[in-house]
Every structure is written in C-alpha cells, then in structure tokens.
Amino acid sequence: MASVPMEHALVLAAVLFALGLAGLLVRRNIIFMLMCLEIMFNAAGLAFVAAGARWAQADGQVMFMMILTVAAAEVAVGLALLLGFYHHFKTLDADAAEGMRG
Amino acid sequence: MLMLPELLVVATALVVLVIDLFLSERTRWLTGLITLLGLLAAMAAACTNTMHGALLGGRFVVDAVAWWFDILLILAAFVTVILSMDVLNGNTRVRMRGLGARAEYYCVLLFTLAGMMFLISSRDLITFYVSLELATIPMFALAAWRRDDARSGEAGLKYVILAALSSSLIVYGMALLYGLTGQTNLDAIGRILPNHVGPAFWFAVAMLVAGAGSKFTVVPFHFWAADVYQGAPTPITAYLSVASKCVGLAFMFQVLFRIFGGWLHDGSLLVSIFAATTMTLGNTVAIVQHNIKRFMAFSAVSQAGYFLLGFLGPNEAGVAAMLFYMLVYIVTNLGVFTCIIWYQNETGREEIEDYRGLSQTNPIMALMMMVSLFSLAGIPPLSGFVGKFFLFSIASSAGYHWLVALAAVNSTVSLYYYLRVIRQMYIEPPDADARRIPITKKLAVTEAFLFAGVVILGIVPTLYESIHADTATWLATLLR
C-alpha cells in the first residue's frame, strides 16, 4: 500500500490551520469563530497523526484523541457561554461585546 | 506519596460536589469549609513531602521547582477560596445576584488548581497538554460565573476564544516538535532538538512562544487580560491575577528551560525585548485606567515584564529569583485584592475614584492597601523591592544594563499610578455621608496575614535562601 508522504499531510495541516486562523480573525459571528477554532485544533491533530505515521508510533494518534476530547470540552463551555451571551445581547455578533473599554 | 497533594485536591473537588447534594440551603456554606480543609491537607502533604522522584514511567516528576510551584499554587487557591466565601454565602451588604452554585464553584476552582499542579510536574507532551487545558477550560466558566451580569458573560466568551486560540497555537507547535523528534518526553525533545534546526523548528518556536506569552500575559499577547479581569467576579480576578500568572510562569519554565533550554542563552536578546515592551506597555496603559480591576490587569501585565528578567542569562539565581518574586507577587497582589473585594462587597463600587477618603473612614484597611500597593511598586524595605532587586540583578549580571535602567524607570512610572489610588484614599476628602465600612472577620484576618507577609518577606531573607538552595542544581541538568 503506497503511503501518503508526511510532507503532504503537513502541508494540508498548515493550510487548514491558516484557514482556521484567517476565519477566526475575519468572522464576526461567534459560532463561526468557535468553528474556526475547531478547524485549528483539528489541523494540529492532523499534524500529530502525520508525525506519528512518520515515526511509526501510536503516540500521534493518542494525542489526536486527546485533542479531540479537549476541543470538545472547550467548545462545550464556549457554546454554553454563547447561549448566555445571546440571552443578554440578542445577537451573535462579536462586535456587540464591547461593554468594557479602557 | 509523590502525587498526594494533587490527588487530595481532586478528591476534595469530588467530595465537595457530592456532599452538596446532601446539604440544605442553610448549611451549604459548609462546602467552602470542606474546600479549605482539603486545601490545608494538600498543603500539609506537599510540605511534608521532601522526596523527589518520578511516577507513571517518568511522565509525572516532582522536583524542587515543581515542589515550590505546588506550594505557591495551593497558597493562591487557599486565599482565593477564603475571599470567595463571603460573596458566595451572600454575606455582603450589596447583594450580588447570579453568584449561586457554591459547590460547583469550589469544585471547578479545585479542578483548575489540580491542572496547574499537574502542569509543572508533567514531562510528556500528552500530560502537559491535557493538564494545561484542565487548568484553562474551567477558568472560562469561573470568569463567566455571574450569569445575570452581561460583562461577566462577555469576559468568559472573550476568554474562551482567545485562550483557545493560544491553546491551538501551542498544540500545533507541539505537533511540529513531535514530528521533528519522534519523542513525546519533554526532556528527550530538548536533548534531540539541537539536531533538527530548520524552518519547521523555528515555526514551532514561534508557536510555542506566542502561546506561552499569551498564558503569561506578555505583550503583544496580553490583549485578553484587561476585559477578562474586569468582567470576571472579583475573587476570580484575584485568582486569575495570581494563580493563572503562576501557571503561566510554570508553562514558560517547561517550554523555555526544558524544551528550548539550549537556545535560551542566544535568545536572551529576544527575551529582553519582550520584557521591555511588556513592562513599558503595561505601565503606560495602567496610568489612564479608571476601573480598579482593569487597572490591576495592566499592573499584572507590567509585573509579567519584570518576571521575564529572570530568564536572562540564564542561570540558577534566575530560577530562584523568579520563584521568590512569584511568592511575593502572590501575597502582595492578594493583599490588594482583599481590599478591592471587601470594598466591592460592602459598597458595590469598583472605580478608583470611589476609594476617596478611605483613610478617614477605614484607616487600617487603607494603610494595608497602601503598603501592598507600595510593595507592588517596589518601595524598600517591602517584599516587592527585594523580589525586584533579585530580578534586576539577574538582568544586570547577564549584561543587560539598558534593560535594568528601563525597568527602574518603569518602577517609577508604576509608583505614579499606584499613587493615584493612594491619593484617592489619603488626600481626597470622603463623601459627606461617608461612614466606617464594616468588614467581616474572614477578610480582616486574611488581610492581616497577607499584610504581615508583604512586610516580613522583605525583611527576612531566609525564604529566598531556601528557594535558592533547593533549586541550585535544577537548571544544570537542563541546560547542559
């Protein structure tokens, strides 16, 4: 079975990460911002899997499991706070969050 | 038992959560007491444990630095729990709605503490990352704990997005390190890395430094701090400003010393630039603040800049100086925050102007707050001066005289804005109808102890010497 070279996977991971980061900076809707964060975590996870394949170790995949779990926890808290935010501001626009200035 | 303090913290968190089910609303204050007892037990376990060693196949290691960090973190959490009790139990003049769910609050707080304690002891990418997130994720919930306050929710949401951003940078950097070395053990990565310097390596350095800088509020990665500090419930602001700063330092220790230890000497110039911008920007922006919590946020940013001086060199004395200054900073900052929390509990106010005339209504509290602020500014003979002196001497012995001069100028600038608060308390007249503000015993005793710490740590040098003696050989094994 011909295997995918590590460079290809790493380039894909880098592109995904950059897309996520760009989306996070450009998007103003908080749900999309959380989705972009998720893309960034998954890009990092993909890089781990590719690295694990390079060294023929299971560690990369174990780490990917951990990243998935932690990202799920992170987004769970984020979505809960998002509900509270919507409750107060009646919008999901991040620019509405400007109650504090200084 | 090497892991006993951590296990006690986790066990207390679970016990608090379960016991809460069997308590009536009237006896629910007991959860706070149980939390304190658990933390005392963890502190006792940490203090009596003089052994160093490894567990779980070398993934969990207690060494001198980890031991000191454990002590500092438990201390910070202990004081935070005391400061939270009045607010959570409703013993405040001004009702703070939306701060219910005591048991959950303590449970979540204890879990962040456990994550922080595991972080400094972890030696494996996986445990390192998971404990970092255990220390961070519950903090989002704590920052947003006041459900009826829009600012608290806003702070929590901003914290989620910005901290998750820095976490994703960190984990991507870790993936690159693992890809380069094929190792998950931090020490092994640090040993092998010098053979793999290339574009991917520098990419990983940039990612991890940005992530670590964000956790430790180093300029230009500090932008989350001000809003989160201002919006969070005040006891959580206090916790963020000390425990989160402490774990940020622990994270920097792991990344800079353990993984990139070989480059730290060459990277000194970069560290010095970060230190210079951090203290200068933190100080400059703090001058114009009106909200005292936001003001303390920028004060905390500038203090992070002083800490960075300890990484210059690098040498053994820097490690001890940073640990000692962290102890001083925790005690002093909590001293200031005790006053802020007390004032907010009783009057509901948090603007700097609201403190006018405090010296006439409550002379003792005003005095203690003034001394704590002077210690933050670094006035001799208070502990803040001694801590800063050790850090400055590290930078000076590393040859960064311009940075020492800049830091001294910054200390003077910081004195100016700390004096703004003191001026309100001592020179401005109180309101015509101002009366003495009562204080609960808990807060009075806490403030007295912290005040004693601020004064004694500066006069009695034994603590610094014992930290220095404990950590004297720690760095040598990492830098080779």
Side-chain angles (χ1 to χ4, degrees), chain A residues 74 81, chain B residues 116 135-144 152-166 214-215 224-225 227-229 232 236 240 244:
Chain A
E74 205 137 32
L81 296 183
Chain B
M116 292 171 185
T136 318
I137 294 177
M139 210 69 112
F140 308 150
L142 286 176
S152 183
E154 186 184 326
L157 202 56
K158 282 180 178 168
Y159 196 14
V160 170
I161 289 171
L162 295 172
L165 171 64
S166 79
S214 162
K215 300 289 175 209
W224 60 274
D227 283 355
V228 175
Y229 277 46
I236 294 307
L240 273 172
S244 175

PDB file of all heavy atoms in Angstrom, chain A residues 74 81, chain B residues 116 135-144 152-166 214-215 224-225 227-229 232 236 240 244:
ATOM      1  N   GLU A  74     -13.753  22.252  25.315  1.00  0.00           N
ATOM      2  CA  GLU A  74     -13.585  23.688  25.130  1.00  0.00           C
ATOM      3  C   GLU A  74     -14.825  24.286  24.452  1.00  0.00           C
ATOM      4  O   GLU A  74     -15.367  25.305  24.876  1.00  0.00           O
ATOM      5  CB  GLU A  74     -12.345  23.922  24.267  1.00  0.00           C
ATOM      6  CG  GLU A  74     -11.703  25.258  24.450  1.00  0.00           C
ATOM      7  CD  GLU A  74     -10.195  25.138  24.508  1.00  0.00           C
ATOM      8  OE1 GLU A  74      -9.644  24.240  23.840  1.00  0.00           O
ATOM      9  OE2 GLU A  74      -9.572  25.924  25.226  1.00  0.00           O
ATOM     10  N   LEU A  81     -21.463  29.465  27.113  1.00  0.00           N
ATOM     11  CA  LEU A  81     -21.294  30.899  27.318  1.00  0.00           C
ATOM     12  C   LEU A  81     -21.949  31.687  26.189  1.00  0.00           C
ATOM     13  O   LEU A  81     -22.468  32.782  26.395  1.00  0.00           O
ATOM     14  CB  LEU A  81     -19.813  31.253  27.415  1.00  0.00           C
ATOM     15  CG  LEU A  81     -19.098  30.632  28.606  1.00  0.00           C
ATOM     16  CD1 LEU A  81     -17.663  31.087  28.653  1.00  0.00           C
ATOM     17  CD2 LEU A  81     -19.793  31.001  29.890  1.00  0.00           C
TER      18      LEU A  81
ATOM     19  N   MET B 116      -3.182  22.944  37.197  1.00  0.00           N
ATOM     20  CA  MET B 116      -1.953  23.734  37.333  1.00  0.00           C
ATOM     21  C   MET B 116      -0.856  22.925  37.990  1.00  0.00           C
ATOM     22  O   MET B 116       0.313  22.988  37.598  1.00  0.00           O
ATOM     23  CB  MET B 116      -2.234  24.976  38.170  1.00  0.00           C
ATOM     24  CG  MET B 116      -3.129  25.970  37.494  1.00  0.00           C
ATOM     25  SD  MET B 116      -3.597  27.249  38.639  1.00  0.00           S
ATOM     26  CE  MET B 116      -4.744  28.167  37.635  1.00  0.00           C
ATOM     27  N   ALA B 135      -6.247  23.223  33.424  1.00  0.00           N
ATOM     28  CA  ALA B 135      -6.077  24.474  34.163  1.00  0.00           C
ATOM     29  C   ALA B 135      -6.825  25.618  33.496  1.00  0.00           C
ATOM     30  O   ALA B 135      -7.175  26.586  34.151  1.00  0.00           O
ATOM     31  CB  ALA B 135      -4.594  24.813  34.279  1.00  0.00           C
ATOM     32  N   THR B 136      -7.057  25.523  32.173  1.00  0.00           N
ATOM     33  CA  THR B 136      -7.627  26.665  31.445  1.00  0.00           C
ATOM     34  C   THR B 136      -9.139  26.586  31.300  1.00  0.00           C
ATOM     35  O   THR B 136      -9.841  27.560  31.580  1.00  0.00           O
ATOM     36  CB  THR B 136      -7.009  26.747  30.032  1.00  0.00           C
ATOM     37  OG1 THR B 136      -5.620  26.506  30.132  1.00  0.00           O
ATOM     38  CG2 THR B 136      -7.229  28.102  29.444  1.00  0.00           C
ATOM     39  N   ILE B 137      -9.646  25.425  30.859  1.00  0.00           N
ATOM     40  CA  ILE B 137     -11.071  25.365  30.487  1.00  0.00           C
ATOM     41  C   ILE B 137     -12.004  25.697  31.653  1.00  0.00           C
ATOM     42  O   ILE B 137     -12.924  26.493  31.474  1.00  0.00           O
ATOM     43  CB  ILE B 137     -11.398  23.993  29.856  1.00  0.00           C
ATOM     44  CG1 ILE B 137     -10.657  23.859  28.524  1.00  0.00           C
ATOM     45  CG2 ILE B 137     -12.888  23.851  29.607  1.00  0.00           C
ATOM     46  CD1 ILE B 137     -10.845  22.542  27.849  1.00  0.00           C
ATOM     47  N   PRO B 138     -11.792  25.144  32.856  1.00  0.00           N
ATOM     48  CA  PRO B 138     -12.710  25.511  33.941  1.00  0.00           C
ATOM     49  C   PRO B 138     -12.665  27.006  34.258  1.00  0.00           C
ATOM     50  O   PRO B 138     -13.626  27.564  34.746  1.00  0.00           O
ATOM     51  CB  PRO B 138     -12.212  24.692  35.132  1.00  0.00           C
ATOM     52  CG  PRO B 138     -11.406  23.614  34.565  1.00  0.00           C
ATOM     53  CD  PRO B 138     -10.791  24.164  33.325  1.00  0.00           C
ATOM     54  N   MET B 139     -11.533  27.640  33.923  1.00  0.00           N
ATOM     55  CA  MET B 139     -11.400  29.064  34.204  1.00  0.00           C
ATOM     56  C   MET B 139     -12.396  29.888  33.384  1.00  0.00           C
ATOM     57  O   MET B 139     -12.851  30.929  33.849  1.00  0.00           O
ATOM     58  CB  MET B 139      -9.966  29.480  33.865  1.00  0.00           C
ATOM     59  CG  MET B 139      -9.447  30.607  34.693  1.00  0.00           C
ATOM     60  SD  MET B 139      -9.213  30.117  36.372  1.00  0.00           S
ATOM     61  CE  MET B 139      -7.462  30.195  36.460  1.00  0.00           C
ATOM     62  N   PHE B 140     -12.739  29.420  32.176  1.00  0.00           N
ATOM     63  CA  PHE B 140     -13.736  30.147  31.376  1.00  0.00           C
ATOM     64  C   PHE B 140     -15.041  30.231  32.147  1.00  0.00           C
ATOM     65  O   PHE B 140     -15.680  31.288  32.217  1.00  0.00           O
ATOM     66  CB  PHE B 140     -14.026  29.427  30.045  1.00  0.00           C
ATOM     67  CG  PHE B 140     -12.825  29.084  29.228  1.00  0.00           C
ATOM     68  CD1 PHE B 140     -12.844  27.982  28.398  1.00  0.00           C
ATOM     69  CD2 PHE B 140     -11.697  29.869  29.276  1.00  0.00           C
ATOM     70  CE1 PHE B 140     -11.755  27.658  27.629  1.00  0.00           C
ATOM     71  CE2 PHE B 140     -10.595  29.553  28.511  1.00  0.00           C
ATOM     72  CZ  PHE B 140     -10.626  28.440  27.694  1.00  0.00           C
ATOM     73  N   ALA B 141     -15.429  29.068  32.698  1.00  0.00           N
ATOM     74  CA  ALA B 141     -16.695  29.031  33.425  1.00  0.00           C
ATOM     75  C   ALA B 141     -16.635  29.945  34.638  1.00  0.00           C
ATOM     76  O   ALA B 141     -17.592  30.655  34.952  1.00  0.00           O
ATOM     77  CB  ALA B 141     -17.003  27.600  33.842  1.00  0.00           C
ATOM     78  N   LEU B 142     -15.477  29.945  35.334  1.00  0.00           N
ATOM     79  CA  LEU B 142     -15.363  30.802  36.523  1.00  0.00           C
ATOM     80  C   LEU B 142     -15.462  32.275  36.140  1.00  0.00           C
ATOM     81  O   LEU B 142     -16.103  33.063  36.834  1.00  0.00           O
ATOM     82  CB  LEU B 142     -14.034  30.533  37.227  1.00  0.00           C
ATOM     83  CG  LEU B 142     -13.950  29.220  37.993  1.00  0.00           C
ATOM     84  CD1 LEU B 142     -12.562  29.031  38.560  1.00  0.00           C
ATOM     85  CD2 LEU B 142     -14.962  29.185  39.110  1.00  0.00           C
ATOM     86  N   ALA B 143     -14.832  32.648  35.016  1.00  0.00           N
ATOM     87  CA  ALA B 143     -14.868  34.054  34.610  1.00  0.00           C
ATOM     88  C   ALA B 143     -16.290  34.483  34.286  1.00  0.00           C
ATOM     89  O   ALA B 143     -16.660  35.633  34.483  1.00  0.00           O
ATOM     90  CB  ALA B 143     -13.958  34.277  33.401  1.00  0.00           C
ATOM     91  N   ALA B 144     -17.110  33.550  33.809  1.00  0.00           N
ATOM     92  CA  ALA B 144     -18.478  33.897  33.414  1.00  0.00           C
ATOM     93  C   ALA B 144     -19.481  33.513  34.495  1.00  0.00           C
ATOM     94  O   ALA B 144     -20.650  33.320  34.206  1.00  0.00           O
ATOM     95  CB  ALA B 144     -18.822  33.196  32.109  1.00  0.00           C
ATOM     96  N   SER B 152     -19.785  39.824  32.770  1.00  0.00           N
ATOM     97  CA  SER B 152     -19.145  38.571  33.171  1.00  0.00           C
ATOM     98  C   SER B 152     -19.213  37.555  32.026  1.00  0.00           C
ATOM     99  O   SER B 152     -18.220  36.888  31.712  1.00  0.00           O
ATOM    100  CB  SER B 152     -19.837  38.033  34.425  1.00  0.00           C
ATOM    101  OG  SER B 152     -19.208  36.874  34.884  1.00  0.00           O
ATOM    102  N   GLY B 153     -20.395  37.463  31.392  1.00  0.00           N
ATOM    103  CA  GLY B 153     -20.522  36.548  30.262  1.00  0.00           C
ATOM    104  C   GLY B 153     -19.627  36.956  29.114  1.00  0.00           C
ATOM    105  O   GLY B 153     -19.005  36.113  28.459  1.00  0.00           O
ATOM    106  N   GLU B 154     -19.550  38.255  28.891  1.00  0.00           N
ATOM    107  CA  GLU B 154     -18.698  38.768  27.822  1.00  0.00           C
ATOM    108  C   GLU B 154     -17.232  38.408  28.094  1.00  0.00           C
ATOM    109  O   GLU B 154     -16.505  37.961  27.203  1.00  0.00           O
ATOM    110  CB  GLU B 154     -18.881  40.285  27.766  1.00  0.00           C
ATOM    111  CG  GLU B 154     -18.171  40.962  26.628  1.00  0.00           C
ATOM    112  CD  GLU B 154     -18.337  42.472  26.716  1.00  0.00           C
ATOM    113  OE1 GLU B 154     -19.394  42.938  27.162  1.00  0.00           O
ATOM    114  OE2 GLU B 154     -17.375  43.182  26.366  1.00  0.00           O
ATOM    115  N   ALA B 155     -16.828  38.578  29.363  1.00  0.00           N
ATOM    116  CA  ALA B 155     -15.453  38.226  29.738  1.00  0.00           C
ATOM    117  C   ALA B 155     -15.196  36.752  29.486  1.00  0.00           C
ATOM    118  O   ALA B 155     -14.157  36.369  28.926  1.00  0.00           O
ATOM    119  CB  ALA B 155     -15.210  38.568  31.201  1.00  0.00           C
ATOM    120  N   GLY B 156     -16.168  35.895  29.891  1.00  0.00           N
ATOM    121  CA  GLY B 156     -15.991  34.466  29.712  1.00  0.00           C
ATOM    122  C   GLY B 156     -15.845  34.099  28.246  1.00  0.00           C
ATOM    123  O   GLY B 156     -14.970  33.317  27.867  1.00  0.00           O
ATOM    124  N   LEU B 157     -16.690  34.691  27.402  1.00  0.00           N
ATOM    125  CA  LEU B 157     -16.659  34.355  25.980  1.00  0.00           C
ATOM    126  C   LEU B 157     -15.362  34.823  25.327  1.00  0.00           C
ATOM    127  O   LEU B 157     -14.747  34.093  24.534  1.00  0.00           O
ATOM    128  CB  LEU B 157     -17.863  34.984  25.291  1.00  0.00           C
ATOM    129  CG  LEU B 157     -18.271  34.340  23.980  1.00  0.00           C
ATOM    130  CD1 LEU B 157     -18.525  32.866  24.184  1.00  0.00           C
ATOM    131  CD2 LEU B 157     -19.518  35.000  23.436  1.00  0.00           C
ATOM    132  N   LYS B 158     -14.922  36.024  25.678  1.00  0.00           N
ATOM    133  CA  LYS B 158     -13.651  36.502  25.128  1.00  0.00           C
ATOM    134  C   LYS B 158     -12.507  35.602  25.586  1.00  0.00           C
ATOM    135  O   LYS B 158     -11.589  35.293  24.818  1.00  0.00           O
ATOM    136  CB  LYS B 158     -13.385  37.937  25.593  1.00  0.00           C
ATOM    137  CG  LYS B 158     -14.192  38.950  24.824  1.00  0.00           C
ATOM    138  CD  LYS B 158     -13.926  40.346  25.299  1.00  0.00           C
ATOM    139  CE  LYS B 158     -14.719  41.336  24.487  1.00  0.00           C
ATOM    140  NZ  LYS B 158     -14.723  42.668  25.061  1.00  0.00           N
ATOM    141  N   TYR B 159     -12.589  35.177  26.841  1.00  0.00           N
ATOM    142  CA  TYR B 159     -11.552  34.304  27.375  1.00  0.00           C
ATOM    143  C   TYR B 159     -11.537  32.980  26.624  1.00  0.00           C
ATOM    144  O   TYR B 159     -10.471  32.468  26.265  1.00  0.00           O
ATOM    145  CB  TYR B 159     -11.811  34.106  28.871  1.00  0.00           C
ATOM    146  CG  TYR B 159     -10.657  33.563  29.659  1.00  0.00           C
ATOM    147  CD1 TYR B 159      -9.375  33.527  29.126  1.00  0.00           C
ATOM    148  CD2 TYR B 159     -10.834  33.096  30.959  1.00  0.00           C
ATOM    149  CE1 TYR B 159      -8.320  33.036  29.856  1.00  0.00           C
ATOM    150  CE2 TYR B 159      -9.783  32.605  31.695  1.00  0.00           C
ATOM    151  CZ  TYR B 159      -8.537  32.569  31.132  1.00  0.00           C
ATOM    152  OH  TYR B 159      -7.498  32.080  31.866  1.00  0.00           O
ATOM    153  N   VAL B 160     -12.714  32.406  26.360  1.00  0.00           N
ATOM    154  CA  VAL B 160     -12.774  31.136  25.629  1.00  0.00           C
ATOM    155  C   VAL B 160     -12.065  31.278  24.291  1.00  0.00           C
ATOM    156  O   VAL B 160     -11.188  30.485  23.946  1.00  0.00           O
ATOM    157  CB  VAL B 160     -14.230  30.702  25.369  1.00  0.00           C
ATOM    158  CG1 VAL B 160     -14.265  29.530  24.411  1.00  0.00           C
ATOM    159  CG2 VAL B 160     -14.922  30.322  26.643  1.00  0.00           C
ATOM    160  N   ILE B 161     -12.444  32.308  23.531  1.00  0.00           N
ATOM    161  CA  ILE B 161     -11.933  32.401  22.164  1.00  0.00           C
ATOM    162  C   ILE B 161     -10.436  32.667  22.155  1.00  0.00           C
ATOM    163  O   ILE B 161      -9.670  32.013  21.444  1.00  0.00           O
ATOM    164  CB  ILE B 161     -12.724  33.475  21.397  1.00  0.00           C
ATOM    165  CG1 ILE B 161     -14.134  32.939  21.146  1.00  0.00           C
ATOM    166  CG2 ILE B 161     -12.050  33.812  20.086  1.00  0.00           C
ATOM    167  CD1 ILE B 161     -15.082  33.930  20.605  1.00  0.00           C
ATOM    168  N   LEU B 162      -9.983  33.591  22.998  1.00  0.00           N
ATOM    169  CA  LEU B 162      -8.561  33.943  22.943  1.00  0.00           C
ATOM    170  C   LEU B 162      -7.692  32.852  23.571  1.00  0.00           C
ATOM    171  O   LEU B 162      -6.605  32.561  23.069  1.00  0.00           O
ATOM    172  CB  LEU B 162      -8.336  35.288  23.614  1.00  0.00           C
ATOM    173  CG  LEU B 162      -9.045  36.412  22.850  1.00  0.00           C
ATOM    174  CD1 LEU B 162      -8.987  37.710  23.605  1.00  0.00           C
ATOM    175  CD2 LEU B 162      -8.434  36.576  21.481  1.00  0.00           C
ATOM    176  N   ALA B 163      -8.167  32.219  24.643  1.00  0.00           N
ATOM    177  CA  ALA B 163      -7.364  31.156  25.252  1.00  0.00           C
ATOM    178  C   ALA B 163      -7.355  29.925  24.354  1.00  0.00           C
ATOM    179  O   ALA B 163      -6.332  29.237  24.250  1.00  0.00           O
ATOM    180  CB  ALA B 163      -7.912  30.801  26.630  1.00  0.00           C
ATOM    181  N   ALA B 164      -8.480  29.652  23.671  1.00  0.00           N
ATOM    182  CA  ALA B 164      -8.490  28.517  22.748  1.00  0.00           C
ATOM    183  C   ALA B 164      -7.555  28.790  21.578  1.00  0.00           C
ATOM    184  O   ALA B 164      -6.876  27.882  21.091  1.00  0.00           O
ATOM    185  CB  ALA B 164      -9.909  28.251  22.248  1.00  0.00           C
ATOM    186  N   LEU B 165      -7.496  30.047  21.154  1.00  0.00           N
ATOM    187  CA  LEU B 165      -6.552  30.397  20.087  1.00  0.00           C
ATOM    188  C   LEU B 165      -5.119  30.104  20.518  1.00  0.00           C
ATOM    189  O   LEU B 165      -4.351  29.460  19.789  1.00  0.00           O
ATOM    190  CB  LEU B 165      -6.718  31.883  19.737  1.00  0.00           C
ATOM    191  CG  LEU B 165      -5.676  32.471  18.790  1.00  0.00           C
ATOM    192  CD1 LEU B 165      -5.765  31.791  17.446  1.00  0.00           C
ATOM    193  CD2 LEU B 165      -5.882  33.965  18.619  1.00  0.00           C
ATOM    194  N   SER B 166      -4.769  30.535  21.727  1.00  0.00           N
ATOM    195  CA  SER B 166      -3.392  30.283  22.162  1.00  0.00           C
ATOM    196  C   SER B 166      -3.156  28.796  22.381  1.00  0.00           C
ATOM    197  O   SER B 166      -2.074  28.285  22.102  1.00  0.00           O
ATOM    198  CB  SER B 166      -3.066  31.095  23.420  1.00  0.00           C
ATOM    199  OG  SER B 166      -3.594  30.487  24.548  1.00  0.00           O
ATOM    200  N   SER B 214       0.927  34.292  25.683  1.00  0.00           N
ATOM    201  CA  SER B 214      -0.472  34.582  25.939  1.00  0.00           C
ATOM    202  C   SER B 214      -0.883  34.101  27.329  1.00  0.00           C
ATOM    203  O   SER B 214      -1.606  34.790  28.050  1.00  0.00           O
ATOM    204  CB  SER B 214      -1.304  33.910  24.862  1.00  0.00           C
ATOM    205  OG  SER B 214      -2.613  33.808  25.273  1.00  0.00           O
ATOM    206  N   LYS B 215      -0.393  32.934  27.741  1.00  0.00           N
ATOM    207  CA  LYS B 215      -0.744  32.437  29.072  1.00  0.00           C
ATOM    208  C   LYS B 215      -0.153  33.337  30.163  1.00  0.00           C
ATOM    209  O   LYS B 215      -0.713  33.462  31.242  1.00  0.00           O
ATOM    210  CB  LYS B 215      -0.224  31.011  29.280  1.00  0.00           C
ATOM    211  CG  LYS B 215      -0.752  29.996  28.307  1.00  0.00           C
ATOM    212  CD  LYS B 215      -2.212  29.692  28.540  1.00  0.00           C
ATOM    213  CE  LYS B 215      -2.729  28.749  27.460  1.00  0.00           C
ATOM    214  NZ  LYS B 215      -4.158  28.925  27.200  1.00  0.00           N
ATOM    215  N   TRP B 224      -6.120  39.640  25.947  1.00  0.00           N
ATOM    216  CA  TRP B 224      -7.305  39.098  26.594  1.00  0.00           C
ATOM    217  C   TRP B 224      -7.446  39.581  28.036  1.00  0.00           C
ATOM    218  O   TRP B 224      -8.534  39.627  28.592  1.00  0.00           O
ATOM    219  CB  TRP B 224      -7.270  37.570  26.581  1.00  0.00           C
ATOM    220  CG  TRP B 224      -6.082  36.984  27.295  1.00  0.00           C
ATOM    221  CD1 TRP B 224      -4.848  36.764  26.775  1.00  0.00           C
ATOM    222  CD2 TRP B 224      -6.009  36.575  28.648  1.00  0.00           C
ATOM    223  NE1 TRP B 224      -4.021  36.244  27.727  1.00  0.00           N
ATOM    224  CE2 TRP B 224      -4.709  36.117  28.880  1.00  0.00           C
ATOM    225  CE3 TRP B 224      -6.931  36.551  29.707  1.00  0.00           C
ATOM    226  CZ2 TRP B 224      -4.296  35.641  30.127  1.00  0.00           C
ATOM    227  CZ3 TRP B 224      -6.513  36.081  30.937  1.00  0.00           C
ATOM    228  CH2 TRP B 224      -5.213  35.633  31.133  1.00  0.00           C
ATOM    229  N   ALA B 225      -6.318  39.952  28.650  1.00  0.00           N
ATOM    230  CA  ALA B 225      -6.299  40.105  30.107  1.00  0.00           C
ATOM    231  C   ALA B 225      -7.270  41.173  30.601  1.00  0.00           C
ATOM    232  O   ALA B 225      -8.076  40.916  31.499  1.00  0.00           O
ATOM    233  CB  ALA B 225      -4.885  40.405  30.576  1.00  0.00           C
ATOM    234  N   ASP B 227     -10.063  42.782  29.590  1.00  0.00           N
ATOM    235  CA  ASP B 227     -11.500  42.555  29.598  1.00  0.00           C
ATOM    236  C   ASP B 227     -11.881  41.418  30.536  1.00  0.00           C
ATOM    237  O   ASP B 227     -12.879  41.499  31.251  1.00  0.00           O
ATOM    238  CB  ASP B 227     -11.989  42.239  28.181  1.00  0.00           C
ATOM    239  CG  ASP B 227     -12.082  43.493  27.342  1.00  0.00           C
ATOM    240  OD1 ASP B 227     -11.858  44.591  27.900  1.00  0.00           O
ATOM    241  OD2 ASP B 227     -12.367  43.383  26.140  1.00  0.00           O
ATOM    242  N   VAL B 228     -11.074  40.338  30.519  1.00  0.00           N
ATOM    243  CA  VAL B 228     -11.410  39.196  31.367  1.00  0.00           C
ATOM    244  C   VAL B 228     -11.286  39.582  32.841  1.00  0.00           C
ATOM    245  O   VAL B 228     -12.150  39.266  33.655  1.00  0.00           O
ATOM    246  CB  VAL B 228     -10.503  37.995  31.034  1.00  0.00           C
ATOM    247  CG1 VAL B 228     -10.764  36.854  31.980  1.00  0.00           C
ATOM    248  CG2 VAL B 228     -10.733  37.552  29.608  1.00  0.00           C
ATOM    249  N   TYR B 229     -10.230  40.313  33.185  1.00  0.00           N
ATOM    250  CA  TYR B 229     -10.053  40.719  34.575  1.00  0.00           C
ATOM    251  C   TYR B 229     -11.208  41.605  35.021  1.00  0.00           C
ATOM    252  O   TYR B 229     -11.704  41.491  36.129  1.00  0.00           O
ATOM    253  CB  TYR B 229      -8.743  41.507  34.749  1.00  0.00           C
ATOM    254  CG  TYR B 229      -7.510  40.659  34.910  1.00  0.00           C
ATOM    255  CD1 TYR B 229      -7.270  39.592  34.082  1.00  0.00           C
ATOM    256  CD2 TYR B 229      -6.578  40.953  35.900  1.00  0.00           C
ATOM    257  CE1 TYR B 229      -6.124  38.836  34.221  1.00  0.00           C
ATOM    258  CE2 TYR B 229      -5.435  40.191  36.048  1.00  0.00           C
ATOM    259  CZ  TYR B 229      -5.211  39.138  35.197  1.00  0.00           C
ATOM    260  OH  TYR B 229      -4.086  38.397  35.342  1.00  0.00           O
ATOM    261  N   ALA B 232     -14.785  39.440  35.063  1.00  0.00           N
ATOM    262  CA  ALA B 232     -14.915  38.267  35.934  1.00  0.00           C
ATOM    263  C   ALA B 232     -15.337  38.705  37.341  1.00  0.00           C
ATOM    264  O   ALA B 232     -15.099  39.835  37.737  1.00  0.00           O
ATOM    265  CB  ALA B 232     -13.595  37.524  35.984  1.00  0.00           C
ATOM    266  N   ILE B 236     -12.449  35.836  41.371  1.00  0.00           N
ATOM    267  CA  ILE B 236     -11.837  35.132  40.235  1.00  0.00           C
ATOM    268  C   ILE B 236     -10.785  36.016  39.574  1.00  0.00           C
ATOM    269  O   ILE B 236      -9.760  35.524  39.099  1.00  0.00           O
ATOM    270  CB  ILE B 236     -12.924  34.692  39.246  1.00  0.00           C
ATOM    271  CG1 ILE B 236     -13.808  33.644  39.899  1.00  0.00           C
ATOM    272  CG2 ILE B 236     -12.322  34.122  37.975  1.00  0.00           C
ATOM    273  CD1 ILE B 236     -13.044  32.481  40.480  1.00  0.00           C
ATOM    274  N   LEU B 240      -7.172  34.763  38.924  1.00  0.00           N
ATOM    275  CA  LEU B 240      -6.530  34.870  37.612  1.00  0.00           C
ATOM    276  C   LEU B 240      -5.207  35.606  37.729  1.00  0.00           C
ATOM    277  O   LEU B 240      -4.215  35.224  37.124  1.00  0.00           O
ATOM    278  CB  LEU B 240      -7.430  35.647  36.653  1.00  0.00           C
ATOM    279  CG  LEU B 240      -8.484  34.892  35.878  1.00  0.00           C
ATOM    280  CD1 LEU B 240      -9.374  35.873  35.165  1.00  0.00           C
ATOM    281  CD2 LEU B 240      -7.820  33.988  34.876  1.00  0.00           C
ATOM    282  N   SER B 244      -3.209  32.106  37.773  1.00  0.00           N
ATOM    283  CA  SER B 244      -3.046  31.961  36.335  1.00  0.00           C
ATOM    284  C   SER B 244      -1.681  32.497  35.902  1.00  0.00           C
ATOM    285  O   SER B 244      -1.035  31.959  34.997  1.00  0.00           O
ATOM    286  CB  SER B 244      -4.182  32.711  35.655  1.00  0.00           C
ATOM    287  OG  SER B 244      -4.024  32.717  34.300  1.00  0.00           O
TER     288      SER B 244
END
